[in-house]
Amino acid sequence: MAAGLFAGLLVLPLGSMAFAADPTPGSDQGGSPGPSAPAELKISTELPKEIKVANSSGKTTLTAKIINKGTKDTGQITLTVLGLDGMRITGVEGCVTVPENKLPKGTNTGFACVIDNLGAGADKSYTVSATYDLTKAGKICLPVTEGTSEKLLWQQGPVPFGTTKPTPNAPDTPLLLGTDNVPAAPPGGSAGPTPSPSAPGTPAPTPPSQLPKTGVNDGVLPLLAAAGLLLFVGTTGIWWANTRHHRRRTH
């Protein structure tokens, strides 16, 4: 049954994907391997340690990287880029938009990227376009799943980008990975208190309808409680399969 649900995940050829390099140092902060990930298959992701959001438009770009640090090829895998709260993902080059009704609970936007294979020691980078509402906190999540199953291989986040020192009068606002955002003070008002650094919390179960939380500021929770995410992947697979079938019938 799982193979049928995920057949639609394998519809994008490798040549259709666009990759980009990012000079900003990357970090796998807030990431954890899946509970059933093979020991020799060490997949991880990286996000830039800092991004800049234009104060006038709220637009930003960043690079999401997936890395195979293991000793064997990955085979087909899927990287998904999800936005939460004040951060909305508006585009990922070479990837497919996830329909709103297929998104995990708590996320607002998402793009799914199918990779035919990632060799041992190889990596791929994607240019991600996003908007960030600087009056709110914003987070991003990068789950990686095995291409034809519900197996979660890795998940980074939900991890926040933010600043405790807003710069509303500057052209842009730098946001740091792993930092809760503190909005600028409104006219005549005062900004909220600066949050104290938080450490990973004690493992606790996550409701099945929720995206598993692995970000630094959310506490590291067991990825086995990933039913919400896995349901998302399965229903998205059905959607992609139906989309592919419709395109075949109309061409």
Side-chain angles (χ1 to χ4, degrees), residues 51-239:
I51 63 174
K52 293 184 178 180
V53 176
N55 287 328
S56 59
S57 64
K59 293 182 179 179
T60 185
T61 59
L62 57 99
T63 295
K65 179 183 288 187
I66 181 169
I67 309 165
N68 180 3
K69 297 181 179 179
T71 58
K72 61 177 291 186
D73 290 3
T74 64
Q76 290 171 317
I77 55 176
T78 301
L79 167 69
T80 306
V81 182
L82 299 166
L84 297 90
D85 305 323
M87 190 169 192
R88 299 183 64 86
I89 309 302
T90 58
V92 181
E93 289 188 70
C95 302
V96 176
T97 304
V98 178
E100 185 175 351
N101 64 342
K102 307 301 182 185
L103 291 169
K105 184 177 180 180
T107 65
N108 54 50
T109 46
F111 286 78
C113 314
V114 177
I115 301 171
D116 284 343
N117 183 61
L118 193 61
D123 62 76
K124 296 185 185 297
S125 297
Y126 295 84
T127 298
V128 178
S129 301
T131 59
Y132 195 107
D133 184 347
L134 292 167
T135 66
K136 302 177 181 179
K139 298 179 182 179
I140 189 170
C141 186
L142 302 179
V144 180
T145 50
E146 193 172 77
T148 58
S149 75
E150 298 181 348
K151 185 182 293 184
L152 184 66
L153 302 176
W154 169 269
Q155 181 173 305
Q156 184 175 9
V159 64
F161 275 105
T163 180
T164 59
K165 299 179 180 178
T167 56
N169 298 320
D172 53 51
T173 295
L175 301 181
L176 299 178
L177 182 67
T179 301
D180 287 322
N181 191 52
V182 176
S190 58
T194 300
S196 57
S198 55
T202 302
T206 302
S209 61
Q210 302 264 347
L211 186 72
K213 300 177 181 180
T214 63
V216 171
N217 289 10
D218 287 311
V220 179
L221 306 186
L223 293 181
L224 190 59
L229 174 61
L230 299 183
L231 176 62
F232 146 72
V233 177
T235 53
T236 303
I238 295 173
W239 168 72

